[in-house]
Amino acid sequence: MTFKLPNQQRGFSLVEVLISVLVISISFVSVMKLQSYVEVRSEQNELQLHAMRIAQRQIDLWENVGGDVSCNGVTVTLTLANLESCKTNFESFTGQVTKLNEITDSSGNILQKRLSIDVTWTDRQGSSGTVTLYSTQTASNALLRS
């Protein structure tokens, strides 16, 4: 005796199963690519934030004009003349200090310097990024007046 199921109670066909496996596979690959993209963007944001902290640390060092500071591992008295040569530790990043302009009086004394700090990095995918901060230092800084 053979038992036949009515047409409404038949299972899935092989084609239907293969199509559903294909759709699930494509969805899984898409989610994995999205997760990878989010991870890379998160790393880039962290690197950018860390680079900004390093650049800000450089500006904070320059706020001590007139005082004794550690520049490149050596203690020196920081002046407007040696400002751009006094650098903080850029750690695993690359740092560049550029003098944009300088204002002097008639005697040649430096009254103001405008500098930029570029902190550059390369992420694990080989993409590079740069953060640039600008600073203006003047002869009227608090330590110079003391």
Side-chain angles (χ1 to χ4, degrees):
M1 174 164 145
T2 59
F3 181 72
K4 288 191 172 189
L5 294 175
N7 283 344
Q8 293 111 350
Q9 294 183 353
R10 291 182 56 204
F12 294 107
S13 71
L14 181 60
V15 173
E16 291 171 329
V17 170
L18 289 176
I19 289 174
S20 65
V21 168
L22 179 67
V23 168
I24 290 171
S25 298
I26 290 172
S27 300
F28 181 73
V29 168
S30 298
V31 168
M32 294 307 292
K33 281 193 155 269
L34 178 65
Q35 191 271 342
S36 174
Y37 173 78
V38 168
E39 184 179 324
V40 167
R41 292 298 301 162
S42 175
E43 179 192 19
Q44 289 172 345
N45 289 337
E46 293 232 2
L47 288 169
Q48 183 179 18
L49 181 62
H50 193 68
M52 287 183 68
R53 286 184 186 137
I54 290 172
Q56 184 60 49
R57 192 171 61 217
Q58 179 67 50
I59 291 173
D60 292 344
L61 176 69
W62 290 338
E63 295 294 325
N64 294 309
V65 170
D68 293 336
V69 296
S70 176
C71 291
N72 308 317
V74 179
T75 301
V76 298
T77 300
L78 189 61
T79 64
L80 288 177
N82 67 1
L83 202 60
E84 63 266 22
S85 65
C86 184
K87 297 179 184 171
T88 187
N89 180 10
F90 287 101
E91 301 168 11
S92 60
F93 293 77
T94 304
Q96 170 86 22
V97 175
T98 307
K99 179 175 69 171
L100 300 175
N101 70 349
E102 183 174 275
I103 298 174
T104 58
D105 63 10
S106 58
S107 305
N109 296 321
I110 301 169
L111 301 175
Q112 175 183 331
K113 265 191 183 179
R114 181 160 166 78
L115 303 161
S116 71
I117 304 100
D118 298 309
V119 180
T120 306
W121 69 89
T122 303
D123 66 12
R124 63 182 161 170
Q125 288 188 320
S127 300
S128 63
T130 302
V131 168
T132 303
L133 292 183
Y134 298 94
S135 175
T136 302
Q137 301 298 324
T138 65
S140 62
N141 283 1
L143 287 176
L144 281 178
R145 286 185 265 133
S146 318

